[in-house]
């Protein structure tokens, strides 16, 4: 493995740049004249995840992650079950999709089965599970589902299905409340 010796340079009075051995920028730190908030990167011991967080003098400090132009911000969860949004404050564990343009469009949530080969009839197009704790151990249980699937994937004749389900019999079965095709 190559050893990279970082070079930290001031570019005028507004940026600090971290470069690799070839002189290519790997990190650019930009200045805000009246800054009181910043990010912190914290390492972790075995079994724990490192943290990127906001900190500063303000009581409430958010964290903005932005792409450039039409570039996307991606979260690759590796082999885990996906991304997790958590909050220890009641009613704060939520995902808000907001479209801030002045037009008539709104934000959208896209669930996509991005298989690399042709689709097949009955492929899942996505699901949303509604879970809560039971009063036993307590254990998390699914109480309702929204399921979307491809009934027919024939090019030009595609047919989809949407199911709204509720769980009954101690979670042993699901019942379709509404099915749309």
């Amino acid at each position: 493995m190559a050893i990279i010796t970082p070079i930290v340079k001031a570019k005028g009075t507004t940026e600090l740049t971290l470069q690799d051995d070839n002189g290519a920028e790997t990190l650019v730190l930009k200045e805000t004249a009246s800054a009181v908030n910043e990010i912190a990167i914290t390492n972790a011991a075995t079994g724990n995840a490192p943290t990127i967080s906001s900190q500063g003098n303000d009581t409430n400090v958010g964290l903005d992650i932005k792409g450039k132009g039409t570039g996307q911000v991606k979260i690759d969860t590796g082999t885990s079950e996906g991304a997790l949004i958590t909050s220890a404050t009641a009613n704060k564990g939520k995902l808000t999709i907001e479209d801030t343009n002045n037009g008539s469009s709104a934000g959208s949530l896209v669930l996509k089965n991005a298989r690399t080969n042709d689709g097949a009839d009955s492929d899942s197009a996505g699901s949303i599970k509604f879970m809560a704790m039971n009063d036993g151990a307590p254990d998390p249980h699914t109480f309702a589902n929204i399921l979307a699937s491809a009934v027919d994937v024939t090019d030009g004749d595609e047919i989809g299905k949407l199911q709204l389900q509720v769980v009954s019999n101690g979670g042993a079965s699901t019942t379709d409340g509404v099915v749309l095709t």
Side-chain angles (χ1 to χ4, degrees), residues 128-147 163-177:
I128 300 174
K129 293 183 178 187
F130 298 88
M131 300 180 75
M133 302 300 272
N134 68 3
D135 67 354
D139 295 313
H141 284 275
T142 300
F143 287 88
N145 298 304
I146 300 175
L147 308 172
Q163 298 166 264
L164 303 178
Q165 299 179 329
V166 293
V167 175
S168 58
N169 297 326
S173 61
T174 57
T175 303
D176 286 337

Side-chain angles (χ1 to χ4, degrees), residues 151 160-164 178-181:
V151 174
K161 179 165 91 174
L162 183 68
Q163 298 166 264
L164 303 178
V178 176
V179 177
L180 303 172
T181 55

Side-chain angles (χ1 to χ4, degrees), residues 2-75:
I3 297 175
I4 297 175
T5 304
I7 299 171
V8 179
K9 294 182 180 180
K11 279 184 150 181
T13 59
T14 59
E15 295 180 349
L16 290 176
T17 303
L18 181 63
Q19 298 179 339
D20 64 15
D21 283 344
N22 299 314
E25 295 177 342
T26 58
L27 179 66
V28 177
L29 303 174
K30 299 193 177 220
E31 175 185 351
T32 298
S34 58
V36 295
N37 301 317
E38 64 276 348
I39 63 168
I41 301 174
T42 308
N43 61 2
T46 301
N48 296 296
T51 303
I52 298 174
S53 58
S54 54
Q55 64 182 26
N57 292 348
D58 288 345
T59 301
N60 301 304
V61 183
L63 182 63
D64 293 342
I65 301 173
K66 298 179 180 181
K68 180 182 177 187
T70 59
Q72 297 178 335
V73 175
K74 297 181 181 181
I75 299 172

Side-chain angles (χ1 to χ4, degrees), residues 81-139:
E81 291 187 23
L84 175 64
I85 298 171
T86 65
S87 175
T89 304
N91 300 316
K92 298 296 181 188
K94 64 182 177 182
L95 172 65
T96 301
I97 300 172
E98 184 177 276
D99 193 330
T100 60
N101 75 26
N102 290 325
S104 60
S105 63
S108 61
L109 174 64
V110 177
L111 304 177
K112 180 180 178 183
N113 180 340
R115 59 190 287 164
T116 57
N117 53 0
D118 286 347
D121 291 351
S122 300
D123 272 356
S124 171
S127 65
I128 300 174
K129 293 183 178 187
F130 298 88
M131 300 180 75
M133 302 300 272
N134 68 3
D135 67 354
D139 295 313

